Amino acid sequence: MTSDLAEPKRRITRKTLIGAVVIGLLLASAFLIFVRPRLRSPDIHFDTLPVQRGKIVAKVTATGTLSALLTVQVGSQVSGRIAQLNADFNSVVTKSQVIAKIDPQLFDAALAQAQANFLEAQATLSKTRVQELDAKRLYDRARGLKDRGLVSQAEVDTAETVWLAARAQVEVSKGALEQARASRNQAQINLAYTTIVSPINGVVISRNVDVGQTVAASLQAPTLFTIAEDLRKMQVHTNVAEADVGKLAPKMTAIFTVDAYPNDAFRGVIHEIRNAAQTVQNVVTYDAVIDVDNEALKLRPGMTANVTVVYAEKDDALKVPNAALRFKPGPEMLAMLATGPQGSPRRGGRPPGPGGDNPQRVGMKTVWVLKNPHPAPVQIQTGLSDGTVSEAIESPLREGDQVITGSSGGEAPKPPAGGAFRRPF
């Protein structure tokens, strides 16, 4: 009876043991398949570029505006109606050529009036001179009669006073004549100003008035024409950043293009770098003036020039990509560098490079080189740069070394959804 009851118990215990083993195998498989890959940090992938030897051209780029060497704004000294225009846009004019005329009728009338006043002043002067001469004769006669005792001293004094007053009146008439002369000259000048002439030889860039239009010169001289001197000689006024202005000097060669001729390269020479700074939105620039030959007359005033000035170049330079100079290792990379190749801690527990076993020297830059296959910091001194690559001087780098420009991967492991794993039973 007892043996019959023990047999089912042994079978139940055996089944339970087999079930537990199967469940354990299933859990181990699930751990290996789903959990372990998430707990293991993925490898870090490095983007690299090779160190090369070649030519580096260091240059400064800027934008500017083309203008004539000399531009004159021709205005009007007097007010009036435009009666005649002898020049238009793009007209070639010579010095003293009549290019416009203001209606002179009012100025002719003013000149005639001034001339009449001048003639009147001349006549008045002649009259006062005759009166002065008559008063002088009367005074001399009275003085002679006084010597013979025929007239009193009072009469002599009166004759002298009349003579002196007549002589003073002559001086007043002379002043009035000079005033009339000056008024006549002013009227003549104003009449002459009604004829607008070109002050230089050049080309009319703009015309701002039409026939029949009235110009008012009471407050300031209105601009009628803008004339540019010979357009075969032009200038480019460029805005050079303050970080680049120290790299430029007079007589340097400049190459520029304009949007009108994108496939043509124009050449110029730096004439001067002006000291007056221009500040726009806290950006400081300086005007570098470039002289340009424009014999083909392709270039026009106001065009935008994209200027490039080469200030240094080197044919055989060790070139390091600028992206490698900007690369900074992340915390995952530093954590990986804190251990050796086999996962053992490095001596001191610090990664190499800045802040590690090899602190960076003043004036040096650090690049990271991928070596078999771990990154290692290398300190270099940079020289010329073209904006893409820089020259490495005083550097242990060699041509063909792979420098790191970026990295990806190596993120911290993420826990599975739902937090910690739970037992399925």
Side-chain angles (χ1 to χ4, degrees):
M1 184 70 180
T2 303
S3 60
D4 293 338
L5 294 175
E7 185 64 26
K9 287 183 179 181
R10 284 195 297 270
R11 286 199 299 268
I12 292 174
T13 303
R14 189 180 299 114
K15 289 180 180 180
T16 302
L17 180 61
I18 294 172
V21 172
V22 171
I23 292 174
L25 292 174
L26 291 174
L27 290 176
S29 300
F31 177 82
L32 293 175
I33 295 174
F34 298 105
V35 179
R36 187 175 179 181
R38 297 192 180 187
L39 295 178
R40 186 179 66 246
S41 296
D43 294 334
I44 299 177
H45 172 73
F46 296 106
D47 300 324
T48 62
L49 287 174
V51 176
Q52 299 176 337
R53 280 198 173 273
K55 184 175 183 179
I56 292 183
V57 179
K59 53 193 176 183
V60 172
T61 58
T63 59
T65 304
L66 280 157
S67 64
L69 286 178
L70 177 62
T71 301
V72 178
Q73 293 181 339
V74 181
S76 174
Q77 186 74 17
V78 296
S79 302
R81 180 178 60 86
I82 300 295
Q84 182 180 346
L85 287 176
N86 298 330
D88 205 345
F89 292 94
N90 298 336
S91 296
V92 179
V93 296
T94 58
K95 186 175 181 180
S96 300
Q97 176 183 337
V98 177
I99 57 178
K101 195 169 184 64
I102 294 176
D103 188 355
Q105 296 183 39
L106 292 177
F107 300 95
D108 285 334
L111 177 60
Q113 182 179 0
Q115 178 67 20
N117 293 335
F118 175 74
L119 294 176
E120 182 182 3
Q122 279 186 325
T124 301
L125 176 61
S126 298
K127 177 181 178 181
T128 55
R129 281 177 174 172
V130 172
Q131 292 174 345
E132 188 266 341
L133 180 61
D134 182 62
K136 179 66 168 59
R137 284 199 303 263
L138 293 176
Y139 169 64
D140 291 339
R141 184 180 300 118
R143 192 171 55 180
L145 293 175
K146 172 65 175 59
D147 293 340
R148 289 184 291 173
L150 300 177
V151 296
S152 64
Q153 182 64 38
E155 292 176 337
V156 173
D157 293 341
T158 300
E160 183 181 12
T161 301
V162 172
W163 170 61
L164 293 177
R167 188 170 64 177
Q169 188 61 41
V170 170
E171 299 300 324
V172 172
S173 298
K174 286 181 179 179
L177 178 62
E178 293 302 321
Q179 288 181 344
R181 191 193 310 275
S183 297
R184 186 188 64 173
N185 292 340
Q186 182 178 1
Q188 289 176 338
I189 292 173
N190 288 337
L191 178 60
Y193 278 147
T194 61
T195 301
I196 310 298
V197 298
S198 173
I200 60 172
N201 299 326
V203 178
V204 176
I205 296 178
S206 67
R207 172 178 59 80
N208 302 323
V209 293
D210 294 309
V211 174
Q213 181 177 345
T214 300
V215 295
S218 57
L219 298 179
Q220 60 182 5
T223 300
L224 308 183
F225 299 90
T226 301
I227 301 177
E229 205 176 26
D230 187 9
L231 292 181
R232 290 177 175 82
K233 299 289 185 181
M234 300 190 70
Q235 287 182 335
V236 179
H237 293 268
T238 61
N239 298 318
V240 180
E242 60 176 328
D244 296 329
V245 71
K247 303 170 185 175
L248 303 183
K251 298 185 179 180
M252 280 186 174
T253 300
I255 306 296
F256 68 93
T257 60
V258 294
D259 293 340
Y261 307 99
N263 297 324
D264 294 346
F266 300 91
R267 185 177 297 271
V269 177
I270 296 179
H271 173 69
E272 64 178 354
I273 301 173
R274 296 180 177 174
N275 293 325
Q278 303 173 5
T279 304
V280 179
Q281 295 181 351
N282 295 327
V283 177
V284 180
T285 60
Y286 292 87
D287 184 7
V289 183
I290 301 173
D291 290 337
V292 179
D293 288 329
N294 188 31
E295 292 295 335
L297 296 179
K298 286 185 175 181
L299 302 175
R300 302 171 185 268
M303 284 184 170
T304 300
N306 302 307
V307 183
T308 300
V309 180
V310 176
Y311 64 88
E313 57 183 320
K314 193 170 184 179
D315 292 330
D316 186 24
L318 192 63
K319 301 189 296 183
V320 178
N322 285 354
L325 299 176
R326 295 190 295 266
F327 173 75
K328 302 295 181 183
E332 297 84 6
M333 177 176 170
L334 294 177
M336 184 191 72
L337 295 176
T339 60
Q342 305 299 327
S344 58
R346 289 177 53 90
R347 184 181 59 185
R350 294 182 300 174
D357 296 337
N358 301 314
Q360 185 176 10
R361 291 184 293 165
V362 177
M364 304 291 284
K365 295 185 178 181
T366 299
V367 296
W368 293 81
V369 183
L370 197 60
K371 294 183 177 180
N372 297 325
H374 299 281
V378 174
Q379 294 184 2
I380 65 171
Q381 180 72 42
T382 57
L384 296 180
S385 176
D386 63 0
T388 303
V389 295
S390 297
E391 176 191 12
I393 55 180
E394 299 182 7
S395 166
L397 292 178
R398 296 292 180 267
E399 183 178 2
D401 286 350
Q402 297 292 324
V403 290
I404 300 175
T405 60
S407 64
S408 60
E411 294 88 354
K414 299 179 181 179
F421 286 98
R422 298 179 181 176
R423 294 172 61 96
F425 54 86

